[in-house]
Amino acid sequence: MFGSVSSFGQLQSPDEFLPHTIGEQFTPHYMLVDYMQHVAANSPNARLVQYGETNEKRPLVLLYISTPENLAQLDAIRENNLKKTGLMDGTPDPSLDRALVWISCSVHGNEASGAESSMPTAYALANPQNARTQAWLKNTIVILDPSINPDGYSRYTHWYRRNAHVIP
């Protein structure tokens, strides 16, 4: 499980953080996770949670993106949604109504573009300097799963990085 960070540094874009630019080559899964950790450590708008691991022991992570106020109330917002659906007893609290947006990337190993796009998406949403997303996040919680299938993604990206430069 990844811990929370109480002080924030300088949030870098994926192109600043990675040793390559997005689109230049595929990013290995460990670098993808490193970037999500960087976003969570350097933005008050992001929290990273590990929810499991794969058969090959790669971490399965979710990046929650919203305002710091919403992130502080995630459990209450979750319970409020359960009450609204009737899955939990109690009266829903309208002050806790938030839109929930779940983005799952790269379920198939050779669909690397989804995981690649998760990094600029996380940056755009979590960047506290982005006034447009800051206004939107007041009523929204984005749950970003950067790679549903890290083992398949890793297999494909490593194969591609080994073979892409080979002349057929």
Side-chain angles (χ1 to χ4, degrees):
M1 183 75 83
F2 300 104
S4 62
V5 177
S6 58
S7 63
F8 300 99
Q10 182 63 38
L11 181 62
Q12 295 178 327
S13 72
D15 290 345
E16 294 167 325
F17 183 85
L18 297 170
H20 58 274
T21 59
I22 294 292
E24 181 180 43
Q25 64 178 304
F26 291 128
T27 306
H29 183 260
Y30 75 90
M31 286 185 191
L32 176 71
V33 172
D34 288 349
Y35 185 70
M36 296 300 157
Q37 289 173 327
H38 167 76
V39 171
N42 290 283
S43 172
N45 297 326
R47 179 185 300 169
L48 190 66
V49 174
Q50 181 174 344
Y51 66 90
E53 63 182 20
T54 69
N55 290 335
E56 296 178 6
K57 305 300 181 198
R58 289 183 181 87
L60 293 163
V61 298
L62 296 174
L63 186 69
Y64 291 83
I65 307 168
S66 192
T67 62
E69 296 79 18
N70 287 339
L71 292 175
Q73 298 184 85
L74 277 179
D75 287 336
I77 292 167
R78 181 185 64 80
E79 289 178 2
N80 193 60
N81 277 288
L82 291 172
K83 290 174 185 175
K84 287 172 64 174
T85 62
L87 295 173
M88 180 182 243
D89 291 333
T91 304
D93 180 352
S95 72
L96 293 174
D97 285 348
R98 302 293 183 275
L100 302 175
V101 177
W102 193 295
I103 303 172
S104 296
C105 303
S106 294
V107 67
H108 299 112
N110 61 346
E111 294 174 347
S113 61
E116 293 297 316
S117 69
S118 72
M119 293 177 282
T121 300
Y123 176 73
L125 292 171
N127 186 348
Q129 303 304 314
N130 187 333
R132 228 171 109 195
T133 58
Q134 291 306 295
W136 183 63
L137 291 174
K138 289 179 184 176
N139 296 309
T140 307
I141 298 169
V142 177
I143 305 164
L144 176 64
D145 189 334
S147 179
I148 287 180
N149 179 4
D151 294 343
Y153 172 72
S154 186
R155 177 203 45 81
Y156 180 72
T157 57
H158 286 297
W159 172 85
Y160 189 87
R161 289 167 67 94
R162 277 193 302 270
N163 295 299
H165 67 285
V166 177
I167 298 172

